[in-house]
Amino acid sequence: MSKISQPASSPGVNGISVIHTQAHASGLQQVPQLVPAGSGGGGKAVPPSKQSKKSSPLDRNSDEYRQRRERNNMAVKKSRLKSKQKAQDTLQRVNQLKEENERLEAKIKLLTKELSVLKDLFLEHAHNLADNVQPISTENTSSDNTGQ
Amino acid sequence: MSKISQPASSPGVNGISVIHTQAHASGLQQVPQLVPAGSGGGGKAVPPSKQSKKSSPLDRNSDEYRQRRERNNMAVKKSRLKSKQKAQDTLQRVNQLKEENERLEAKIKLLTKELSVLKDLFLEHAHNLADNVQPISTENTSSDNTGQ
DNA sequence: GGCCATTGCGCAATGT
DNA sequence: CACATTGCGCAATGGC
């Protein structure tokens, strides 16, 4: 599912942004006037900004502009790639941890069993000794109950 | 670096998309003529299609169009939100698993130690038997009373 | 002040 | 046919 899907007529590829770009460029030259004040949602009033001093409207025709855009596009792609990779890594990490968890649980099971056997042996001996001989030493009778 | 950054006066914030939307809608009516033919990259030339057969170029003015767009925009937002949430969940899962791992390791350590103690006891006992002695303990001389 | 990185958003193609 | 996903470009902003 979900290959990369590289649309043939995709605008995206390197130079082809033309479509969009073109559209933008041709359709609207430079942003007419942004923000009509309204701005529905939680509308903030725009600061009393006009466009008096702006560095420059930056024509969409400008070489500067296109260059900047392209660079940003690259950066964006890179960033997104990185992001995706990270997500994937995280997913992998989950699996890794799950595996380790299983391993640990298995080990615990084993140890528990061993312990149980030994304790039983101990008890047996104790009984024998109690019946015939001296108890090995009573001090250690404490059943640990550490578990949980 | 890079917190989530919730810009207070963020432009992107919902309301202002108006600009974009507006810009698009108002600025350009329908794409003049897209497809520069060339389409440099791997670009396919567009089939000699005009817009004869296709379902329809779908005017950007069309109500249909705008409605479709808006719906899609919603869907996109939703999808992205979901995606983000999932990522976050995954991250959380990692932490959860890490914690559990630690717990398990602690338990293993404990069990191992217990086991070790028991084994030592056993060995000791074995040795004693091997020596044919039962120095159960010097203090524990219950029946001994050699007098003095 | 510039440059790259991130991020929200809309568009369009594609998947389900 | 409607909704979901995804790649992409744009613009604003964060950070150095």
Side-chain angles (χ1 to χ4, degrees):
Chain A
M1 329 144 151
S2 92
K3 297 95 128 332
I4 313 250
S5 97
Q6 190 75 307
S9 59
S10 168
V13 203
N14 290 324
I16 316 23
S17 17
V18 193
I19 301 177
H20 265 297
T21 310
Q22 279 300 41
H24 274 293
S26 60
L28 48 87
Q29 326 296 223
Q30 32 264 55
V31 187
Q33 283 310 305
L34 358 144
V35 116
S39 84
K44 267 55 187 335
V46 239
S49 70
K50 293 108 243 183
Q51 28 91 244
S52 38
K53 272 327 204 25
K54 296 308 173 68
S55 35
S56 59
L58 248 179
D59 301 325
R60 283 182 152 68
N61 305 355
S62 166
D63 256 16
E64 262 292 307
Y65 174 72
R66 280 277 15 123
Q67 219 161 327
R68 239 173 37 99
R69 281 303 327 136
E70 201 140 344
R71 270 179 121 63
N72 179 248
N73 289 343
M74 304 273 275
V76 167
K77 266 202 242 179
K78 190 167 153 193
S79 180
R80 283 174 181 157
L81 208 79
K82 183 175 164 188
S83 175
K84 250 167 230 185
Q85 193 114 19
K86 215 169 64 179
Q88 215 167 340
D89 286 0
T90 306
L91 226 57
Q92 214 167 336
R93 185 115 171 75
V94 165
N95 285 340
Q96 193 182 329
L97 285 173
K98 280 207 286 198
E99 268 179 46
E100 184 148 356
N101 254 21
E102 275 177 45
R103 249 193 41 221
L104 293 180
E105 296 224 47
K107 188 161 182 178
I108 286 181
K109 196 166 170 184
L110 188 82
L111 287 177
T112 300
K113 185 159 187 176
E114 263 183 69
L115 207 54
S116 157
V117 169
L118 276 193
K119 280 184 181 173
D120 280 356
L121 269 184
F122 234 153
L123 280 187
E124 200 180 318
H125 271 262
H127 283 161
N128 290 346
L129 291 175
D131 285 351
N132 304 332
V133 202
Q134 303 292 335
I136 296 180
S137 120
T138 18
E139 49 160 307
N140 225 356
T141 335
S142 64
S143 42
D144 61 287
N145 346 347
T146 15
Q148 33 137 84
Chain B
M1 322 153 155
S2 91
K3 296 100 130 307
I4 311 251
S5 92
Q6 190 73 301
S9 58
S10 170
V13 196
N14 20 48
I16 327 318
S17 8
V18 190
I19 301 173
H20 266 297
T21 312
Q22 279 302 40
H24 273 295
S26 60
L28 50 83
Q29 328 212 325
Q30 47 246 50
V31 185
Q33 284 310 312
L34 2 139
V35 121
S39 74
K44 278 344 233 45
V46 234
S49 71
K50 288 106 252 170
Q51 21 87 243
S52 37
K53 290 285 209 44
K54 296 303 160 87
S55 33
S56 62
L58 251 179
D59 300 324
R60 282 178 150 73
N61 304 357
S62 167
D63 253 17
E64 261 294 305
Y65 174 73
R66 280 279 14 124
Q67 218 159 332
R68 240 172 41 96
R69 281 307 324 139
E70 201 141 341
R71 271 174 183 290
N72 177 248
N73 288 344
M74 304 272 275
V76 167
K77 266 203 241 179
K78 192 166 152 195
S79 179
R80 282 173 181 157
L81 207 80
K82 184 175 164 190
S83 172
K84 250 166 227 185
Q85 192 108 20
K86 216 168 63 178
Q88 216 166 344
D89 286 359
T90 305
L91 227 58
Q92 214 167 339
R93 185 116 173 75
V94 165
N95 285 341
Q96 194 182 327
L97 285 172
K98 279 208 286 199
E99 268 179 46
E100 183 148 356
N101 252 19
E102 275 177 45
R103 251 192 39 220
L104 294 180
E105 296 221 46
K107 188 161 184 178
I108 285 181
K109 197 166 168 184
L110 188 84
L111 287 177
T112 300
K113 184 159 187 176
E114 266 184 63
L115 209 53
S116 155
V117 169
L118 277 194
K119 279 184 182 173
D120 280 356
L121 272 183
F122 255 126
L123 278 187
E124 199 184 316
H125 197 216
H127 282 161
N128 290 346
L129 289 177
D131 287 352
N132 193 5
V133 193
Q134 278 141 334
I136 294 176
S137 102
T138 27
E139 48 167 299
N140 207 355
T141 41
S142 42
S143 56
D144 130 77
N145 65 322
T146 340
Q148 65 166 206

